[in-house]
Structure formats: structure tokens, C-alpha cells
Amino acid sequence: MEPSDSVDLMLRPSNARILRIEISNPGLPASLTDLITSKKLNSFRSDFLYRRQIFREEHDQAVRTFLGIPKEDPGTFVKYYREYIALKGKYVRNVLGYGNFMLSKDLPDFLVEAEAFKKELDDLRLKVRCYMNDELRLPWNDILRFNPRLKYTTFLLSESLVRDEDFRWHVANMREPFRESHDVDDLLGLEV
């Protein structure tokens, strides 16, 4: 194989029936008291890390009351975190050492559900920020730290990755396989 062929394999998209996905939900704490900011303070000997809890327990209790969340719930925003885990569990599978993947045919359904969840987080963010501003009179720079959102990015697999023996072995031996029982060659778009 010539060097130009290997570069071509690395850049050429494959016919794999799976996509790599990076998904996260930054800015969604279990409770407001979990939001902590940190800043480095220099001293003549070393750097010190100054940590500050942004919201106190009374702020969290006021938001819980405003949202109608019972006191016995383990956290203020646990409901939304569970929705995120359910969305991720429905579509996303982990290939050890290579990251998260999903079936490409599930992408349209995933996008519909992800967009609905994103709208729900947008509504939550707006309600909670307005309440903290109007009723609790907290500073805006603190209020803006509450920023729950859904982030995701999908990637096509390269021809070189789907031909990599280690990757193929890990796909074949996933702890939680994709819903449908696929032959690895079929899943990765390789002709048998």
C-alpha cells in the first residue's frame, strides 16, 4: 500500500451503519448548591485555587418550591438528568476505547427527541433564571452560571477505522450491543 492510499483511507468516509457521537449535558447540576466556581489566585509560593459555592441552600429550596419539587426528591434537577440518561441509553452505545456510537438510521429519531429535550432545558433555564433574578435578586453573573443544555455532535466513520482489527473486535464484543443483531461486517459496511 502506498502512502497516498493510506491517507486516502483515513479521509474517505465509510459505508458504516453507525456514527460516532459525542454527547453531554453541561450546566445541569443535581441541585443549585452543586454549582461551584473556581479561580486561581497567585501567591509568591504557588497557585491557590479559590472555590466558591455560587448558590446557598436557601436559594435551592426556593427554586424547589417554585418548581413544585418535593423535599424528598434527591435533587432539584434529577428529573432532567434522568431524561438525559434515558435519551442516551436509548440510542448511544459505548465501544470500549473508541467512544460512543449510534445507529445511523436512528439519527432522525434521536434528533427529534434531542430537540424536544433541548426545548425542555431551555424552558427550565428561562424559568429558573427569571425566578432567581425577579424573586431572589441574585447577581446576573451568578444566575448565568445555571446553564443546562444538551450538546451533541455526530461523526462519520473513516474507511481506515472500520477496517482496523482492534476496532472491529471491540465492536463485536460490546458490553451492550446495538438493538439489532448485526454482523460486524454488515454493521461497519464492509462486504463479506
Side-chain angles (χ1 to χ4, degrees):
M1 183 181 282
E2 292 182 29
S4 63
D5 292 340
S6 64
V7 170
D8 186 43
L9 272 179
M10 291 180 80
L11 298 177
R12 186 178 344 141
S14 69
N15 294 322
R17 295 174 51 184
I18 60 175
L19 303 168
R20 191 168 80 75
I21 182 169
E22 290 181 3
I23 184 169
S24 63
N25 65 340
L28 181 63
S31 299
L32 284 177
T33 53
D34 293 338
L35 286 172
I36 295 174
T37 183
S38 58
K39 182 167 111 177
K40 277 190 174 182
L41 298 175
N42 291 326
S43 120
F44 66 94
R45 291 190 184 162
S46 65
D47 289 335
F48 288 101
L49 193 61
Y50 171 72
R51 296 174 56 90
R52 176 175 73 93
Q53 186 175 21
I54 300 170
F55 302 107
R56 294 189 306 273
E57 190 65 38
E58 59 264 21
H59 300 138
D60 193 52
Q61 290 303 323
V63 170
R64 270 181 180 245
T65 303
F66 170 68
L67 295 174
I69 297 167
K71 289 182 181 179
E72 54 275 356
D73 274 8
T76 308
F77 307 107
V78 171
K79 169 191 168 220
Y80 299 96
Y81 188 74
R82 286 184 182 138
E83 287 181 40
Y84 166 74
I85 294 297
L87 176 69
K88 190 173 174 181
K90 183 175 179 180
Y91 294 105
V92 179
R93 299 293 177 264
N94 185 269
V95 177
L96 191 61
Y98 290 93
N100 294 316
F101 294 82
M102 69 183 299
L103 291 170
S104 56
K105 73 176 195 159
D106 286 344
L107 186 60
D109 294 334
F110 169 79
L111 292 175
V112 168
E113 290 185 40
E115 193 59 35
F117 182 58
K118 181 187 168 304
K119 184 180 179 336
E120 196 174 341
L121 290 177
D122 290 346
D123 292 344
L124 172 70
R125 181 174 57 244
L126 181 64
K127 281 193 317 192
V128 170
R129 282 181 174 180
C130 287
Y131 178 76
M132 288 192 292
N133 184 47
D134 298 343
E135 300 298 322
L136 301 179
R137 305 279 188 225
L138 296 171
W140 260 110
N141 60 336
D142 287 346
I143 291 172
L144 292 175
R145 301 260 185 195
F146 178 71
N147 190 17
R149 59 206 182 279
L150 179 65
K151 291 176 70 173
Y152 56 88
T153 307
T154 58
F155 303 89
L156 296 175
L157 305 186
S158 70
E159 193 69 31
S160 66
L161 181 63
V162 300
R163 293 186 185 281
D164 181 73
E165 287 301 317
D166 187 58
F167 177 69
R168 292 166 50 74
W169 185 88
H170 279 90
V171 169
N173 295 292
M174 291 168 55
R175 184 167 37 168
E176 186 181 355
F178 292 103
R179 285 192 313 280
E180 301 169 3
S181 176
H182 290 290
D183 176 55
V184 173
D185 289 330
D186 180 45
L187 192 62
L188 296 178
L190 298 172
E191 287 135 28
V192 183

